[in-house]
Amino acid sequence: MISNETINQIREFIAERDWRQFHTPGNMAKSISIEAGELLECFQWSDEPRDGDWEHVHEELADVMIYCIQMADMLGVDLDEIIQDKMMKNTARYPVEPSKGSSAKAK
């Protein structure tokens, strides 16, 4: 759960640096993708982080989440609401019985 305190800390960080002007939907989406790539790089050639560096994994995951929070804030969407909406769609698309234990894509 992301607390309001954390969200406000992110907002203050951005405001103090006058960075909101750079936070267009496209820039936010690119930044999320770039940080996700850096997170993926931690696991290149292995299912364990390079050199066992879990702290680096945590930092890259935090970067992805910070950009996601910033984008949601910029767009004025409620993260809980959009996640719950998506989970309802996922539940309908992937019923338990045919999906259980299967990684097959739903049709």
Side-chain angles (χ1 to χ4, degrees), residues 7-23:
I7 293 170
N8 287 332
Q9 184 179 9
I10 293 167
R11 286 176 179 153
E12 287 175 27
F13 181 87
I14 295 163
E16 289 171 346
R17 288 153 182 82
D18 193 25
W19 285 353
R20 185 113 174 144
Q21 61 184 314
F22 306 115
H23 292 178

Side-chain angles (χ1 to χ4, degrees), residues 4-50:
N4 285 333
E5 179 182 346
T6 299
I7 293 170
N8 287 332
Q9 184 179 9
I10 293 167
R11 286 176 179 153
E12 287 175 27
F13 181 87
I14 295 163
E16 289 171 346
R17 288 153 182 82
D18 193 25
W19 285 353
R20 185 113 174 144
Q21 61 184 314
F22 306 115
H23 292 178
T24 64
N27 284 345
M28 291 289 93
K30 290 170 200 170
S31 295
I32 292 166
S33 182
I34 291 164
E35 293 300 339
E38 291 178 10
L39 175 60
L40 184 59
E41 189 176 30
C42 293
F43 295 95
Q44 188 173 18
W45 313 117
S46 176
D47 285 337
E48 294 293 319
R50 187 178 301 140

Side-chain angles (χ1 to χ4, degrees), residues 5 8 17 41 56 59 62 65 67 79 88 90 98 104:
E5 179 182 346
N8 287 332
R17 288 153 182 82
E41 189 176 30
H56 188 211
E59 289 172 358
M65 295 302 301
Y67 276 119
L79 284 170
M88 285 183 7
N90 287 346

Side-chain angles (χ1 to χ4, degrees), residues 53-93:
D53 192 353
W54 284 102
E55 182 178 350
H56 188 211
V57 171
H58 297 170
E59 289 172 358
E60 296 303 339
L61 180 58
D63 286 342
V64 171
M65 295 302 301
I66 290 166
Y67 276 119
C68 287
I69 291 166
Q70 288 175 335
M71 185 170 190
D73 194 45
M74 182 209 56
L75 295 174
V77 297
D78 182 289
L79 284 170
D80 284 328
E81 185 178 313
I82 64 172
I83 290 170
Q84 289 173 11
D85 287 348
K86 181 61 176 174
M87 289 306 300
M88 285 183 7
K89 291 175 184 175
N90 287 346
T91 299
R93 185 168 184 193

